[in-house]
Amino acid sequence: MTHIEILRAGVLTTCQDAGRPGWGHLAVPPSGAADRPSWRLANQLAGNPTGACALETTLNGCTVKAHRNVTVVVGGAPCPVTVDGRPEAWGQPVKLKAGSVLDAGPAEVGVRSYLAFSGGLHPKSSLGSHSTCLLSGLGPAPLKDGDTIPLGPSPAHPPLPTQWPAPWAGVSEEIVMKLHLGPRLEWFRPEAVAELARGVWTVSEHSNRIGLRLDGPALRRMDSGELPSEGIVAGALQVPPNGQPILFGADHPTTGGYPVIGVVGAEAQAAAAQARPGTKIRFAPIPLPHWSKRA
Amino acid sequence: MSTIPTDRLRPLPAGPRGILIDCGTTAVARACYRSLQSRRMSGLLEAADLVPGATTVLVDGIDEPELLAAELPGWPLTDEPDAAGEAVEIPVCYDGPDLESVAEQWGVRPEEVADIHSGIEYEAAFCGFSPGFAYLEGLPEQYQVPRRESPRTTVPAGSVAIAGPYTGVYPRTSPGGWQLIATMTNPGRLWNEHREPAALLVPGTKVRFAAVRV
């Protein structure tokens, strides 16, 4: 068992697993790793079962001391990796001896690196998940220097993959996201779809796990009526009265009173989790499904 | 018990795996939520979550939204009274900082606010804002007041507040823009992760406030 110790927590390092989906009706955000494919792959490479809890860093990595022998994989946003000051491989299993210090440096591209430890992390859990939720405060608090986190029992023979299960996703400076239009497209002017297809938005600095704030062409509504609070899904593109959209992430509010013009799927949500401030975002609107058209 | 015509239900796409059902009114949304819950419990519907809103129900995490959308118009939907009708009683002290201002807006004396507010049976319509925060409906129109012009940065846990058609109780200390009229004596009951369900006031729960004199 034993634990890891956070020597440098960086800007924001949190514990993340698959989150706590299914409690939206109690106003509990789903939470969980923001870049799911990277988190999943890091766990696979560390020989962990699906769903194990890993560290999620933000922009400048973190430094961790192992208090037992453990295999670790640093994946997600590419970054320099060192163990006791010596360079080590990013994106591959690295063996740490008890007492060794691993540093995951600043992300070279992207935002969030994942540190998956064999046996997984076992911080306090809340509604069945170890994930930190920035919006609700559920789960363990964001990590601070000096925090320790228990490790789960390490498999005696970790089933390390002999070949890559999948390549690490690249991170680009401009992202094109498929946007499934609706549910509240009709709240916008008819030209909104063309504006969505044409416009370029920039990820604002005021972005986090709750959502990306996008600066760019304002999406104008038909009227300023009030929308009664309604459920929101991850990947929803919500438009507040100023017309500057917010793309909701893992820690999104479960209900909201501003219209959602469209929703991006899982792949785009993962790309959004690696989009730094300044990243350009375009949308490729997918028309409303036939069943939603009104007579 | 009355039957609700299901052609009032409008399925709206909410991403590749979700449907937002616009029910038009709170009463239809309540009936729709109950119907979806029972279909889910009997295995007729597989969904990751059902999230009621003021006049909507979000069905999230479904494999084939188009099938559910096609089924909707044929559903029998009845506005039956909740079988588990026992109301949760919440002891509160009517001592909120906005009590006098609310009394003035209601045109009553401050001590009458407690009688009026605690004389109503509420129902948790939906949750939002913070885990365990329920939007309780039941306040008659003549007692509905707007939000405060500027929200408070800190509202203590247990504060009982009203805004528009809703009453709410803050499960934890947070910012808030509603008008504070009372304080729940034991706010720890609202959210307990070791209880199932963790929220005291899940959607559909009937609620009564009981005035405690101090």
Side-chain angles (χ1 to χ4, degrees):
Chain A
M1 297 293 274
T2 79
H3 59 278
I4 60 163
E5 181 183 348
I6 305 296
L7 301 185
R8 179 183 66 88
V11 177
L12 174 70
T13 298
T14 61
C15 295
Q16 295 298 338
D17 56 17
R20 44 187 78 82
W23 299 102
H25 59 292
L26 303 184
V28 173
S31 216
D35 175 356
R36 287 303 160 103
S38 292
W39 161 79
R40 211 173 286 128
L41 181 51
N43 268 325
Q44 266 180 302
L45 294 174
N48 283 337
T50 315
C53 176
L55 296 181
E56 179 183 282
T57 67
T58 312
L59 291 170
N60 71 346
C62 69
T63 309
V64 176
K65 184 175 185 179
H67 284 263
R68 76 147 202 239
N69 295 348
V70 66
T71 299
V72 58
V73 174
V74 182
C79 64
V81 178
T82 64
V83 173
D84 297 328
R86 293 184 318 273
E88 274 289 354
W90 172 89
Q92 291 184 35
V94 170
K95 289 199 155 86
L96 283 187
K97 287 221 153 50
S100 290
V101 172
L102 177 137
D103 181 72
E108 287 152 5
V109 289
V111 177
R112 298 180 167 90
S113 300
Y114 291 88
L115 282 69
F117 298 84
S118 56
L121 299 173
H122 286 254
K124 97 168 195 183
S125 96
S126 163
L127 299 183
S129 165
H130 300 295
S131 288
T132 300
C133 177
L134 297 187
L135 184 73
S136 68
L138 295 181
L143 294 166
K144 304 183 304 296
D145 296 356
D147 282 352
T148 60
I149 311 166
L151 280 162
S154 200
H157 302 285
L160 297 185
T162 50
Q163 52 181 329
W164 300 119
W168 293 101
V171 175
S172 52
E173 283 176 15
E174 179 172 302
I175 304 171
V176 182
M177 297 184 176
K178 285 183 195 156
L179 183 74
H180 300 261
L181 292 173
R184 295 297 180 183
L185 180 62
E186 67 196 26
W187 279 61
F188 296 85
R189 295 188 187 171
E191 58 269 28
V193 177
E195 285 169 2
L196 274 169
R198 196 171 53 226
V200 180
W201 283 265
T202 307
V203 175
S204 142
E205 283 183 16
H206 306 285
S207 298
N208 55 24
R209 287 179 43 86
I210 299 167
L212 296 186
R213 285 180 186 274
L214 304 180
D215 296 331
L219 296 166
R220 295 288 173 206
R221 283 159 54 169
M222 296 284 278
D223 62 55
S224 55
E226 216 171 301
L227 183 71
S229 281
E230 61 188 26
I232 292 177
V233 296
L237 189 67
Q238 189 195 57
V239 185
N242 68 5
Q244 302 293 319
I246 299 169
L247 182 63
F248 278 125
D251 292 352
H252 69 85
T254 55
T255 61
Y258 299 131
V260 168
I261 193 169
V263 178
V264 305
E267 194 185 335
Q269 289 172 39
Q274 297 293 3
R276 288 186 180 212
T279 303
K280 303 289 181 211
I281 305 238
R282 290 172 174 277
F283 294 103
I286 298 174
L288 290 169
H290 61 91
W291 52 261
S292 76
K293 303 234 167 84
R294 282 186 100 180
Chain B
M1 183 165 113
S2 59
T3 304
I4 294 171
T6 42
D7 56 5
R8 288 209 209 145
L9 305 181
R10 286 184 63 211
L12 302 170
R17 294 180 41 78
I19 288 191
L20 182 73
I21 304 174
D22 192 334
C23 303
T25 69
T26 303
V28 178
R30 182 171 53 207
C32 182
Y33 178 59
R34 282 185 192 147
S35 167
L36 285 160
Q37 273 183 310
S38 71
R39 291 177 77 87
R40 193 180 182 204
M41 275 200 283
S42 56
L44 293 169
L45 171 70
E46 272 187 50
D49 207 355
L50 300 175
V51 185
T55 58
T56 55
V57 184
L58 172 68
V59 188
D60 193 13
I62 45 177
D63 287 335
E64 294 176 289
E66 64 278 11
L67 293 186
L68 177 61
E71 267 182 42
L72 273 180
W75 279 14
L77 214 57
T78 49
D79 192 14
E80 46 194 317
D82 200 341
E86 190 79 352
V88 169
E89 189 178 273
I90 298 183
V92 300
C93 188
Y94 284 88
D95 60 357
D98 298 322
L99 185 69
E100 290 198 9
S101 138
V102 167
E104 201 174 307
Q105 294 170 77
W106 284 8
V108 302
R109 287 177 290 117
E111 50 274 27
E112 289 175 283
V113 171
D115 291 337
I116 295 166
H117 188 259
S118 64
I120 298 164
E121 186 172 89
Y122 301 86
E123 183 172 332
F126 62 100
C127 291
F129 175 64
S130 173
F133 183 92
Y135 290 75
L136 307 172
E137 54 177 24
L139 208 57
E141 204 163 343
Q142 77 254 38
Y143 298 125
Q144 298 181 6
V145 298
R147 291 157 190 256
R148 286 169 54 85
E149 290 210 350
S150 69
R152 290 185 169 87
T153 51
T154 307
V155 172
S159 297
V160 179
I162 59 173
Y166 300 115
T167 290
V169 193
Y170 290 79
R172 59 180 189 136
T173 301
S174 51
W178 292 16
Q179 311 225 22
L180 311 183
I181 58 171
T183 312
M184 182 175 175
T185 52
N186 180 12
R189 278 175 71 205
L190 289 170
W191 182 257
N192 176 357
E193 290 173 19
H194 305 293
R195 182 181 60 199
E196 168 62 39
L200 176 68
L201 309 179
V202 305
T205 308
K206 302 264 198 298
V207 180
R208 273 188 176 279
F209 293 95
V212 176
R213 320 263 169 207
V214 188

